[in-house]
Amino acid sequence: MKNTADYFKNLIAHCKEYGFVFPSSEIYDGLSAVYDYGPYGVMLKNNLRDYWWRAMVQMHENIVGIDAAIFMHPSVWKASGHVDAFNDPLIDNKDSKKRYRADVLIEDYVANKIDAKIDKEIEKAKQRFGDTFDEPMFVATNVRVQEYKQKKENILTRFARAMSTGELADLKNLIDELEIACPESGSRNWTEVRQFNLMFATQMGAVDGDIVYLRPETAQGIFVNFLNVLNTSRQKIPFGIAQTGKAFRNEIVARQFIFRMREFEQMEMQFFVRPGEEMKWYDYWKNKRMLWHKAITPAEKLRFKDHDNLAHYANAAVDIQFEFPFGFKELEGIHSRTDFDLKSHQELSKKKLQYFDPELGESYIPYVVETSVGLDRLFLTCLSNAFTEETLEDGSSRTVLKIHPILAPIKVAVLPLLKNKEELTGKAREVFNMLKTNFICQYDEKDAIGKRYRRQDAIGTPYCITIDFDTLETNTVTLRERDSMGQVRIDINDIVNNLHDKLHISNLLTD
Ligand code: GAP
């Protein structure tokens, strides 16, 4: 059932039903592409942020954190290029009245029409040749595959040129020539392509106050604090500054749940390096970030994708993509941002944003390698991996969130076997009170024990502890593991150590 529209729809419904994610202002019918996190959602989100923060700041002596304000001086966005260049090309279909990003229409065409045909040829050949099939050789020599590849390259070259020069008419020509139709109406009755700036603007102070922007990325808060951090943290290049926080983009097309939101959270790290050493550090962070994801996500669902179009600030850029239920899409970006940002801020602010390198005996504007992951996308990655609808051996079914135990919102549920037996509920409360200073726990006595296990499975609780009549005799409890549903008996005095070994964040950091 995975990778289907149904699977995704069920996942979204599950998020709402079990208190992970709600539409914003739902009693007023919601606000497009804005979401609220519920009681379990906020805990999962906090755990994911904590895992990132520790991996960056705790595990690297040369990375420090900051928390910059969302509002920044308007000149920041002039210097960064966002006022002039943070645009998406938009196009409307005159029949369906639906609005699209022209670049996404073209990218989807390449993925769905050309890549899919190449994959089909490979699949057919695989079946024809069986074990003797040599895929690289087939791809390099098969005439039809080569034709598709050539077509793809021609499109992408024109596309990249049009995007970098801002030739919107050429984007429109491509859409016409490729006969791309509106997914909604099926018609090719398009408007011209227009640029649309993605920043939200508001006013600060009195009625006629200055325009300020809601930050569209957290990175600029790091750049403008470069000197402050340098002067107060005793760091030497290479060093990094990490930050998590909200970002805002007036996305033209905001679909796919929390994948593309208008208000979202980023976790970004800018790594300042010597000019000329940026590619070494780019490769370093590329690999390091992939390993971080692989600790919580199956390797086959992750891949690198080099950017076809480089942003105005980058000399190299790659995405870590995850296979969401709607296909492989960007989860994190790793960008070599050159000295673009610091140099622009130096020019506009007239403040020297340089580093004196004691080893080289000279000053320079550092180059920057950035890692930037969306916390909400990571949340969706985590749930897409975890959400499982299982049929059990006895024919019954269960919905279980197989979230990595260390990231799960509730770590342990404490369950007395029966509700009306004071000796069981009293003992269960005792165990709960003992555990709650160590782990986020939940006490639950309502409904039959099987139903309570299902409820914990549905919110991803990795361990359930059941207090039964044997507990009163032997001071032992059953410990049930979520994924295997296996149960073992364990002494109450051993629970903390046993679970601590399994649930401590250090396991993820050393992995
Ligand atoms: N500072 C660089 C930067 O902002 P980006 O590729 O535009 O780069 C980085 O964004 C990450 O932020 C993306 O990989 C994605 O995870 C997340 N992100 C960007 N736009 C988003 C949106 N509208 N909704 C949710 N997450 C988003």
Side-chain angles (χ1 to χ4, degrees):
M1 177 157 175
K2 283 214 162 190
N3 292 333
T4 65
D6 276 352
Y7 176 81
F8 193 40
K9 238 194 275 165
N10 292 347
L11 189 158
I12 296 169
H14 190 87
C15 279
K16 182 159 168 335
E17 186 180 349
Y18 285 92
F20 281 83
V21 182
F22 307 127
S24 159
S25 332
E26 199 188 3
I27 57 169
Y28 294 101
D29 298 331
L31 183 66
S32 169
V34 186
Y35 289 90
D36 298 338
Y37 286 83
Y40 299 119
V42 69
M43 284 197 265
L44 175 57
K45 201 173 167 202
N46 287 344
N47 293 344
L48 288 166
R49 191 192 298 105
D50 184 54
Y51 170 41
W52 182 88
W53 186 266
R54 285 175 189 271
M56 285 297 181
V57 178
Q58 181 178 334
M59 297 301 287
H60 294 94
E61 285 175 57
N62 60 349
I63 297 183
V64 293
I66 63 162
D67 182 16
I70 287 172
F71 288 135
M72 302 180 74
H73 193 285
S75 297
V76 168
W77 306 111
K78 190 78 197 146
S80 68
H82 284 82
V83 171
D84 296 322
F86 194 52
N87 300 319
D88 275 345
L90 75 84
I91 188 165
D92 293 287
N93 184 269
K94 292 181 195 164
D95 297 321
S96 68
K97 309 274 184 265
K98 288 271 173 200
R99 180 159 288 178
Y100 297 91
R101 273 175 56 180
D103 54 332
V104 172
L105 285 178
I106 295 168
E107 280 169 354
D108 283 353
Y109 175 90
V110 169
N112 301 334
K113 291 270 156 61
I114 305 185
D115 285 343
K117 279 185 184 151
I118 296 174
D119 290 347
K120 212 164 155 191
E121 291 295 334
I122 294 172
E123 203 45 47
K124 264 190 337 206
K126 218 180 246 171
Q127 280 174 12
R128 200 170 344 123
F129 295 114
D131 289 346
T132 58
F133 183 56
D134 179 345
E135 187 173 322
M137 172 75 95
F138 176 77
V139 170
T141 54
N142 181 272
V143 177
R144 210 166 300 159
V145 170
Q146 284 303 310
E147 276 170 12
Y148 290 137
K149 284 190 141 235
Q150 189 58 50
K151 183 172 179 194
K152 174 176 169 178
E153 203 179 306
N154 293 345
I155 296 172
L156 289 180
T157 309
R158 260 181 78 186
F159 173 55
R161 197 181 324 117
M163 289 295 285
S164 61
T165 57
E167 280 296 328
L168 301 182
D170 212 30
L171 281 184
K172 174 71 186 343
N173 290 342
L174 256 177
I175 289 173
D176 288 339
E177 285 167 33
L178 297 173
E179 300 186 343
I180 296 175
C182 167
E184 197 86 4
S185 65
S187 100
R188 302 203 294 268
N189 191 8
W190 297 108
T191 61
E192 293 307 308
V193 178
R194 315 188 287 295
Q195 290 289 29
F196 177 77
N197 192 286
L198 299 184
M199 281 197 294
F200 284 100
T202 186
Q203 285 190 332
M204 182 169 257
V207 182
D208 292 327
D210 291 331
I211 284 201
V212 289
Y213 297 100
L214 297 185
R215 67 182 176 197
E217 62 170 10
T218 58
Q220 296 304 322
I222 291 178
F223 290 122
V224 299
N225 276 296
F226 169 72
L227 274 190
N228 285 335
V229 174
L230 188 65
N231 293 337
T232 52
S233 66
R234 302 173 58 82
Q235 290 291 341
K236 287 205 209 87
I237 270 176
F239 77 95
I241 304 178
Q243 173 170 221
T244 70
K246 289 276 182 137
F248 304 83
R249 294 182 190 178
N250 196 2
E251 298 283 358
I252 300 172
V253 182
R255 293 201 195 106
Q256 293 159 327
F257 193 37
I258 55 172
F259 178 79
R260 196 175 299 287
M261 303 157 89
R262 296 202 165 101
E263 173 180 342
F264 57 100
E265 189 164 338
Q266 288 187 315
M267 306 193 289
E268 299 201 296
M269 192 278 298
Q270 318 297 132
F271 202 69
F272 299 90
V273 305
R274 275 185 190 156
E277 292 191 355
E278 71 273 17
M279 290 320 290
K280 178 179 91 181
W281 289 109
Y282 174 73
D283 288 337
Y284 173 87
W285 281 110
K286 212 176 125 175
N287 292 325
K288 193 96 183 161
R289 292 302 302 145
M290 184 57 109
L291 285 176
W292 183 90
H293 285 289
K294 283 184 180 168
I296 55 170
T297 295
E300 67 275 13
K301 292 187 143 267
L302 295 162
R303 70 180 187 193
F304 285 119
K305 171 88 171 54
D306 283 319
H307 281 208
D308 296 322
N309 302 299
L310 289 180
H312 58 275
Y313 49 71
N315 68 357
V318 67
D319 289 340
I320 293 177
Q321 291 190 331
F322 169 74
E323 191 178 16
F324 289 96
F326 39 85
F328 270 102
K329 298 272 178 207
E330 174 186 353
L331 167 62
E332 168 155 3
I334 293 118
H335 313 124
S336 172
R337 286 182 82 127
T338 66
D339 57 355
F340 173 87
D341 302 87
L342 287 180
K343 205 163 150 189
S344 302
H345 286 306
Q346 174 168 290
E347 271 165 28
L348 201 62
S349 69
K350 309 271 184 287
K351 304 280 181 334
K352 223 171 163 195
L353 300 181
Q354 302 203 350
Y355 173 77
F356 176 74
D357 192 322
E359 281 171 38
L360 298 181
E362 63 182 63
S363 292
Y364 52 78
I365 298 178
Y367 271 45
V368 170
V369 174
E370 161 185 79
T371 71
S372 176
V373 58
L375 179 52
D376 311 87
R377 271 191 205 177
L378 187 64
F379 186 101
L380 186 56
T381 300
C382 183
L383 284 190
S384 304
N385 284 325
F387 182 62
T388 316
E389 292 175 317
E390 280 183 352
T391 304
L392 304 177
E393 274 176 15
D394 65 1
S396 65
S397 61
R398 71 164 182 159
T399 302
V400 51
L401 289 186
K402 296 185 174 179
I403 301 173
H404 194 297
I406 293 170
L407 301 172
I410 304 288
K411 301 288 191 275
V412 191
V414 180
L415 317 169
L417 184 63
L418 298 170
K419 184 183 173 185
N420 300 324
K421 294 281 177 211
E422 172 63 34
E423 59 270 45
L424 294 183
T425 54
K427 190 71 186 169
R429 279 274 172 210
E430 223 176 82
V431 172
F432 174 75
N433 286 333
M434 175 187 84
L435 293 179
K436 77 178 182 190
T437 53
N438 291 278
F439 314 104
I440 304 257
C441 299
Q442 195 169 74
Y443 175 86
D444 189 7
E445 60 180 27
K446 190 168 166 273
D447 296 323
I449 190 74
K451 210 165 172 187
R452 279 181 276 163
Y453 284 151
R454 290 290 174 275
R455 219 157 37 221
Q456 295 301 329
D457 289 343
I459 59 168
T461 307
Y463 297 104
C464 288
I465 284 173
T466 307
I467 282 77
D468 56 19
F469 291 104
D470 281 352
T471 308
L472 308 177
E473 308 277 315
T474 61
N475 203 45
T476 60
V477 294
T478 59
L479 179 67
R480 173 189 183 266
E481 199 270 329
R482 178 195 65 202
D483 298 350
S484 64
M485 295 185 290
Q487 299 190 12
V488 290
R489 266 207 107 76
I490 170 174
D491 195 288
I492 287 179
N493 296 322
D494 294 335
I495 302 174
V496 171
N497 281 346
N498 184 304
L499 292 184
H500 201 272
D501 286 349
K502 298 183 168 97
L503 294 172
H504 201 271
I505 185 80
S506 59
N507 291 319
L508 264 186
L509 298 173
T510 42
D511 275 350

